[in-house]
Amino acid sequence: SQQGEEDPQALSIQEGENATMNCSYKTSINNLQWYRQNSGRGLVHLILIRSNEREKHSGRLRVTLDTSKKSSSLLITASRAADTASYFCATITGANNLFFGTGTRLTVIP
Amino acid sequence: DTGVSQDPRHKITKRGQNVTFRCDPISEHNRLYWYRQTLGQGPEFLTYFQNEAQLEKSRLLSDRFSAERPKGSFSTLEIQRTEQGDSAMYLCASSLGQGDGNTIYFGEGSWLTVV
């Protein structure tokens, strides 16, 4: 079964706005990773945050992790039409396998 | 381009036929994973190799599915006697498995349609 759940399931914003997606998971983790998937394509790795980290930045991306609440958030600032995609969080447990949520479908309107 | 290569990208097969997918991981990555993804869902773990050893298999991997990684490099995933429920995208991924090597990189996937 899938470990994580993203919220919202779908998000539609105007270009230039910020997009925030949330992820909740069930068990303790080693790290959490965020991926992007364009329709019909493979997954592109965006950012990895370790269980002992609270926040991480990469370009227009900001990820937070709250292990006490078993939750993470992905913020995309100054969104672009090219950011339109599905975004997944995935957790790694001791078994070193990734478990994915069902994703957030982001639409950025030009 | 993540460097994980999958072939074929698309396969249409008749129910009951066997299909095989190939995955070439990023060079020197000792871990290789197979996932399956259906429309509107996140990828689901199927199996995982550390070098040539298959260390874990999901319950999703029925007896009709077999994966190999004979020399610890490329891997194949074979589905025997395909069923319509096998229609999905099969994703391969690889990682170094140490520190930041825990970053897992995915290929573009192999779409399977069983008619």
Side-chain angles (χ1 to χ4, degrees):
Chain A
S1 62
Q2 290 169 331
Q3 155 90 303
E5 285 191 11
E6 287 88 348
D7 173 62
Q9 291 189 347
L11 179 62
S12 185
I13 60 174
Q14 296 289 330
E15 199 166 30
E17 294 180 339
N18 295 342
T20 299
M21 288 159 269
N22 301 297
C23 166
S24 60
Y25 57 92
K26 299 174 184 174
T27 63
S28 61
I29 60 172
N30 293 341
N31 65 55
L32 184 145
Q33 304 185 36
W34 283 90
Y35 289 83
R36 184 186 74 223
Q37 185 176 39
N38 291 85
S39 182
R41 306 295 298 274
L43 287 93
V44 175
H45 183 265
L46 295 177
I47 198 164
L48 178 155
I49 186 165
R50 293 186 177 82
S51 59
N52 61 353
E53 297 176 314
R54 291 297 166 259
E55 188 172 312
K56 205 161 183 179
H57 297 255
S58 177
R60 295 184 295 115
L61 306 180
R62 172 177 170 259
V63 168
T64 62
L65 179 64
D66 187 335
T67 53
S68 67
K69 295 181 180 178
K70 292 187 170 59
S71 67
S72 174
S73 68
L74 170 67
L75 169 67
I76 303 174
T77 61
S79 63
R80 306 166 181 168
D83 295 329
T84 294
S86 291
Y87 291 82
F88 294 91
C89 71
T91 54
I92 286 193
T93 64
N96 287 308
N97 299 326
L98 275 176
F99 291 93
F100 287 85
T102 52
T104 292
R105 186 190 304 268
L106 174 66
T107 302
V108 180
I109 303 166
Chain B
D1 184 1
T2 63
V4 178
S5 178
Q6 293 190 244
D7 181 71
R9 291 291 317 282
H10 298 90
K11 178 73 176 179
I12 299 174
T13 190
K14 291 183 178 179
R15 189 175 52 186
Q17 298 291 306
N18 299 344
V19 296
T20 299
F21 300 111
R22 176 182 169 122
C23 171
D24 287 272
I26 294 172
S27 179
E28 298 181 355
H29 277 192
N30 52 32
R31 294 186 179 178
L32 187 147
Y33 309 80
W34 285 99
Y35 286 79
R36 181 175 72 185
Q37 186 179 25
T38 54
L39 283 175
Q41 300 296 314
E44 295 176 296
F45 170 75
L46 291 179
T47 190
Y48 145 62
F49 290 85
Q50 173 86 21
N51 299 312
E52 66 275 10
Q54 188 173 17
L55 296 187
E56 189 170 343
K57 292 194 292 186
S58 161
R59 283 173 292 178
L60 293 174
L61 214 64
S62 74
D63 291 345
R64 297 183 297 104
F65 287 71
S66 63
E68 295 182 345
R69 195 184 184 197
K71 297 181 180 179
S73 56
F74 74 91
S75 175
T76 58
L77 176 68
E78 181 183 20
I79 308 173
Q80 296 181 327
R81 305 181 304 280
T82 52
E83 302 172 357
Q84 287 188 321
D86 297 331
S87 295
M89 181 163 66
Y90 291 85
L91 290 157
C92 178
S94 70
S95 74
L96 274 172
Q98 298 175 24
D100 272 344
N102 260 338
T103 297
I104 297 179
Y105 298 93
F106 283 79
E108 287 289 338
S110 292
W111 279 102
L112 173 64
T113 302
V114 181
V115 298

